Amino acid sequence: MFTGIIEEVGTILDMKKAGSAMSLVIQSNKVIEDVKLGDSIAVNGVCLTVNEFGSSSFTADVMLETLKATSLGTLKKGSRVNLERAMAANGRFGGHMVSGHVDGTASIVRIEKAANTVYYDLKLDPSLAKMLVLKGSIAVDGVSLTIFGLTEDQVTVSLIPHTLDETIFPAKKVGSIVNIECDMIGKYIYRFLHQTKQEKQAQALTEAFFKENGF
């Protein structure tokens, strides 16, 4: 579990392909201060498992399904990435609940500066937009943001100077692809409300269900 508050911007040192999968070597400092093998680190919002680490870098594998569903396949040596360690149980919860399981990607279609804010319009699949609400939360490349505009296939977010300073967003351009994770609670509610009749019947606690399960 993550919060969407980026701890550090890292750099891709190496990308090793192994068949249809890939291994990333990522330069970092803060997120590996207390790292252990098997720990989870979100890379541009994608939860990856540390399988090797050194004094200034860690390595994580990316499987084929993750490459298909996220923007990690577009990374290159030298690419900068947002990094966040899994949330500590005794820490402050500064963002929102982020699982690190990306729902899809979006493309940036507009970037506009206004006063001390930069607005980003993101074009995404309507199936993702249906799970979002105005003034709700969304994770974009792992960054917890508030939704300020929403249509059937577009979402608008804004970033304050501090967020821009601490993330890779200043390098983004119109056309850049970003990872999207919809609000976890919103996804569960949407799924519950849009279950098919057959799915609801399958989950119903009936006399037949109890008999079939030994009660």
Side-chain angles (χ1 to χ4, degrees), residues 103-215:
D103 294 304
T105 59
S107 60
I108 297 176
V109 294
R110 181 183 71 103
I111 301 175
E112 182 177 331
K113 186 172 182 179
N116 67 338
T117 300
V118 179
Y119 289 95
Y120 291 79
D121 286 348
L122 312 174
K123 189 173 181 61
L124 69 172
D125 192 278
S127 64
L128 298 182
K130 288 178 181 178
M131 294 186 286
L132 303 173
V133 295
L134 199 63
K135 301 299 176 67
S137 297
I138 186 173
V140 182
D141 269 357
V143 182
S144 175
L145 298 172
T146 300
I147 297 169
F148 288 101
L150 182 64
T151 68
E152 64 178 12
D153 66 349
Q154 192 165 294
V155 60
T156 299
V157 295
S158 68
L159 277 75
I160 60 174
H162 175 75
T163 306
L164 290 168
D165 290 341
E166 299 298 320
T167 69
I168 61 173
F169 267 92
K172 299 294 184 183
K173 301 176 181 178
V174 170
S176 292
I177 304 299
V178 293
N179 293 318
I180 297 294
E181 183 182 334
C182 303
D183 180 64
M184 187 184 302
I185 297 174
K187 286 191 289 187
Y188 279 110
I189 293 173
Y190 181 86
R191 175 64 176 169
F192 177 78
L193 293 176
H194 292 82
Q195 284 180 314
T196 64
K197 184 178 180 180
Q198 290 79 7
E199 288 173 326
K200 290 180 180 179
Q201 289 176 339
Q203 294 179 8
L205 297 177
T206 63
E207 182 179 353
F209 171 85
F210 286 112
K211 286 182 178 179
E212 289 173 4
N213 289 274
F215 291 94

Side-chain angles (χ1 to χ4, degrees), residues 8-129:
E8 178 183 11
V9 173
T11 303
I12 302 296
L13 298 179
D14 198 7
M15 305 174 69
K16 303 173 183 177
K17 288 192 174 181
S20 57
M22 182 170 60
S23 180
L24 297 177
V25 181
I26 303 172
Q27 179 276 326
S28 58
N29 294 301
K30 185 173 183 178
V31 300
I32 59 171
E33 288 176 350
D34 56 356
V35 73
K36 300 182 297 295
L37 290 179
D39 280 357
S40 295
I41 295 178
V43 180
N44 281 357
V46 182
C47 179
L48 298 180
T49 301
V50 176
N51 57 38
E52 188 178 339
F53 65 91
S55 60
S56 60
S57 67
F58 70 93
T59 302
D61 292 328
V62 184
M63 61 183 180
L64 177 60
E65 290 304 315
T66 303
L67 290 173
K68 288 180 179 179
T70 73
S71 67
L72 293 187
T74 66
L75 297 175
K76 303 175 182 178
K77 287 185 181 180
S79 293
R80 287 160 60 78
V81 290
N82 292 326
L83 301 175
E84 182 192 354
R85 288 171 289 191
M87 180 175 60
N90 62 347
R92 285 191 173 90
F93 198 160
H96 73 282
M97 288 189 292
V98 178
S99 69
H101 301 158
V102 169
D103 294 304
T105 59
S107 60
I108 297 176
V109 294
R110 181 183 71 103
I111 301 175
E112 182 177 331
K113 186 172 182 179
N116 67 338
T117 300
V118 179
Y119 289 95
Y120 291 79
D121 286 348
L122 312 174
K123 189 173 181 61
L124 69 172
D125 192 278
S127 64
L128 298 182

